Amino acid sequence: MRIKRHLRLVASFAAVAMLAVACGGDDTTEQPTGTDTGTGTETAEPTETAAGDGTLVFGTSADPVVLDGALVSDGETLRAIDQMFEGLVGLEPGGTEIRPLLATEWEASEDGLAWTFTLREGVTFHDGTEFNAAAVCFNFDRWYNFTGSFQNPDATYYWQTVFGGFATQDVEGVPEESLYESCVDNGDGTVTLNITSPSASFLSALALTNFTIASPTALQEFGADEGEVGDDGLFRPTGTYGTEHPVGTGPFMFESWTRGDRLVMARFDDYWGEVEGNIETLIFRPIAEGAARLQALQSGEIDGYDLVAPEDFETIESDPDLQLLTRPAFNIGYIGFTQTANEALQDRVVREAIMMTVNRQAVVDGFYAGQGEVAHAFMPPELFGYADDVTQYEFDPEGAVALLEEAGHTLPIQLQFAYPTDVSRPYMPNAQANAEAFAADLEAQGAFEVELVSDTWSPDYLGKAFAGDYELYLLGWTGDFGDPDNFLGTFFQTPNQPEWGFEEAAIHDILDEAESETDVDARTALYEEANRLIADYIPGVPYVHTQPALAFRANVTGYQPSPVSLEPFSLVTVS
């Protein structure tokens, strides 16, 4: 079922841009907020120093959007929600292996269409109500029965990406098919999720924060299903559930939220699990500028922050009061080709010549402060299905010119090359520097003549990139969960995705087959072959995997950097 990233393209321009900001758990710095409704509750005047009395203050790059996992897709929001909510399964701290959470074990039927989960006993929501099979089904049925504005891809991107459609189709462009069929309370502490076709990535997808289980009582009492799409095309919830009354089962519970200032969570004393850290109060403080986050850390205003700029590594590492942590590389930065935007890109020779002309190693060495490695595929090497024997293209600009001339091209070939401004991404800390370096490479031997263009990250750049308006463009992706479908399937499973603009049946079909294959060895082989096909076809230039960095004060321990940027703060201790 091909219901992946193309869904963004049925949304309005602005909505598309907002959605994409965080995809791939995807992380963001200068991200837009999908809603500005709700002001939270007032808090007492905070102290201006961070750690102490079990309090940890974490500097974020932006405010959350709304604290309802079903309705968001940006990384800063998902990280906050992940402290308060849990799903049936989750990811191991610091990794991507599936671990039990609200389900202690699970089993798929032989045909792969029914998944039965044994639910953890003795779990309560923060409002004191019981977690049980009825609560699980309430949540899944809520998502499946979303109507009207809640079907806007801006509102329910991850449901539509993983499950497809809804019980009824109210919005043009929403998929008619759904992977979800039903949820059954078996009455014995188990729940069965029935799906309409086998999906090997189904269990991994359930680890997404978007599918965490909320208190049915709170959802109903505080208007969780009230919302609208504004004239700007963005969805906004209008109830108070997601801004003042989010209720899950996690180790931290909502206390207050003052937009633009701080989100405060308190330790949930009745949490079912072991809490290893000593954090009693967890505060997320939005500080948009990276330099300001570093200053706040140095002054003790915050205890840690994410998305450290490479130029600040040395400052942090040389300060005995600070420490630098790095995430496992779980991302890909790439130059995308939109073949429909420039006819020359439809010639594989041209695409290969571009690949041979850009000096990826120089860019990685120059702009990633030792935290990057040259990429040869559109997925990280740590994932199963990565193939070490894909075709690799050496930096050979003279060879590229000869290749083009032999193919009869008149040089230089005109190319437009786009990059975003006002943004820093884990895979692209300085987009302008990358773009200018690559453009200089392309023009150095006279093979190409490049027009550099730039747009603000949101809504312009992402919207245009996904609409296929650029010829060459810089972009990237951070994985949501440990499955190659989340990379290769997202990029290339659907034919004619506008940002790529090509149809290559061999690639699309093998990704379809890999997604539905349930045998791990067979899946691995299929993705390895898919990687080889993609490397030979050259839809773009994968150029970097990076290890994004976080900074903390030296007295913070227990923080386990996650490849998907979702760390459990319950493991953290402030001494």
Side-chain angles (χ1 to χ4, degrees), residues 179 225 487 502:
L179 181 65
D225 292 347
F487 284 88
F502 74 89

Side-chain angles (χ1 to χ4, degrees), residues 28 88 100 108 118 134 143 169 174 233-234 239 273 344 385 401 409 421 469 501 512 542:
T28 176
L88 295 175
T118 301
W143 304 327
Q169 184 184 25
V174 167
L234 295 177
V401 172
H409 285 281
T421 59
D469 289 349
D512 265 352

Side-chain angles (χ1 to χ4, degrees), residues 323-354:
Q323 58 178 316
L324 191 72
L325 305 180
T326 54
R327 300 185 184 283
F330 199 62
N331 52 45
I332 174 68
Y334 60 84
I335 304 171
F337 301 161
T338 305
Q339 295 186 31
T340 50
N342 186 331
E343 188 175 347
L345 295 171
Q346 296 172 19
D347 185 346
R348 186 193 174 281
V349 168
V350 173
R351 302 198 298 273
E352 182 174 356
I354 295 172

